[in-house]
Amino acid sequence: MGPEKITVAAPSQSFRLRCKSLNSLRLRRIFDMFDKNGDCMITVTEISQALCLLGLEADVAELASMTQSYIRPGNEGLTFEDFVALHESLGDTYFGFVEIAEEEQQESDLWEAFKVFDENGDGYISAKELQVVLGKLGLVEGNMIDNVQRMIGYVDTNHDGRVDFEEFKVMMRATILPSC
């Protein structure tokens, strides 16, 4: 079986975060991850490469078609502002916006983020799992298990060598949510 093909499926509550500044931060990180050459612009090729690294297969022609109307004349790719506009359009068109209590939404968003790191689904993020995800994202820490273990240690309040969902929530809320 080959890589998973991207298709638009049922609405995802985590597609758009309720906190505008948190959503902007998340989009900025995604944009920077896609912008491999650091020119503050992401091309269709860079988007395709990033999706492949995440194990998602995307047809380059479909990506080009989807993004073309968001690329400003004279540019080779999407600026961050163009990327945000594309994201908002996709959200409005395909995912809608489900009204739920803000606390429930934050919990859901955090759970979705946690599951990205908890690759084996055991309810914990181990140093090895964090290292794998960092490596997939092309971050240098993906090659340094000692640094990854230190990262885990900063968050691991019960000192069991791994991060559970409660520890993850405390860390995320302490570093991100207060800025909303």
Side-chain angles (χ1 to χ4, degrees):
M1 219 157 91
E4 182 180 332
K5 179 141 172 96
I6 294 176
T7 57
V8 177
S12 167
Q13 292 178 359
S14 67
F15 181 75
R16 183 183 313 177
L17 303 176
R18 295 198 31 98
C19 176
K20 194 168 182 72
S21 63
L22 181 56
N23 199 38
S24 181
L25 176 65
R26 180 183 71 154
L27 286 176
R28 179 42 124 187
R29 287 182 178 161
I30 293 169
F31 181 87
D32 291 343
M33 180 185 73
F34 285 13
D35 183 19
K36 286 295 186 191
N37 64 0
D39 66 353
C40 297
M41 196 171 295
I42 53 174
T43 64
V44 171
T45 302
E46 287 173 319
I47 294 171
S48 177
Q49 290 170 346
L51 293 173
C52 277
L53 286 173
L54 295 171
L56 303 170
E57 180 183 316
D59 181 64
V60 176
E62 286 180 32
L63 284 174
S65 174
M66 184 187 319
T67 59
Q68 191 57 46
S69 64
Y70 293 91
I71 297 174
R72 296 178 196 181
N75 285 350
E76 295 290 319
L78 297 164
T79 63
F80 178 67
E81 292 76 21
D82 301 335
F83 184 68
V84 170
L86 173 63
H87 173 268
E88 288 173 356
S89 173
L90 289 173
D92 293 341
T93 303
Y94 295 109
F95 296 93
F97 190 51
V98 179
E99 286 292 329
I100 61 174
E102 187 161 341
E103 191 172 314
E104 289 177 21
Q105 182 64 45
Q106 287 176 358
E107 183 87 6
S108 174
D109 291 339
L110 289 171
W111 182 247
E112 290 298 317
F114 181 82
K115 290 191 306 188
V116 169
F117 294 95
D118 180 20
E119 289 202 321
N120 67 4
D122 68 353
Y124 299 96
I125 302 169
S126 68
K128 187 65 180 165
E129 286 172 316
L130 179 56
Q131 182 183 28
V132 167
V133 172
L134 294 174
K136 284 181 181 178
L137 295 174
L139 300 173
V140 68
E141 289 85 354
N143 297 324
M144 300 179 203
I145 192 65
D146 292 344
N147 287 353
V148 174
Q149 288 170 334
R150 275 193 292 279
M151 288 178 195
I152 293 287
Y154 291 130
V155 179
D156 180 21
T157 57
N158 65 3
H159 308 291
D160 66 354
R162 54 195 182 169
V163 176
D164 63 34
F165 182 60
E166 292 304 314
E167 292 167 330
F168 182 80
K169 282 193 318 188
V170 168
M171 186 250 338
M172 292 299 285
R173 287 185 170 144
T175 59
I176 296 176
L177 294 180
S179 66
C180 296

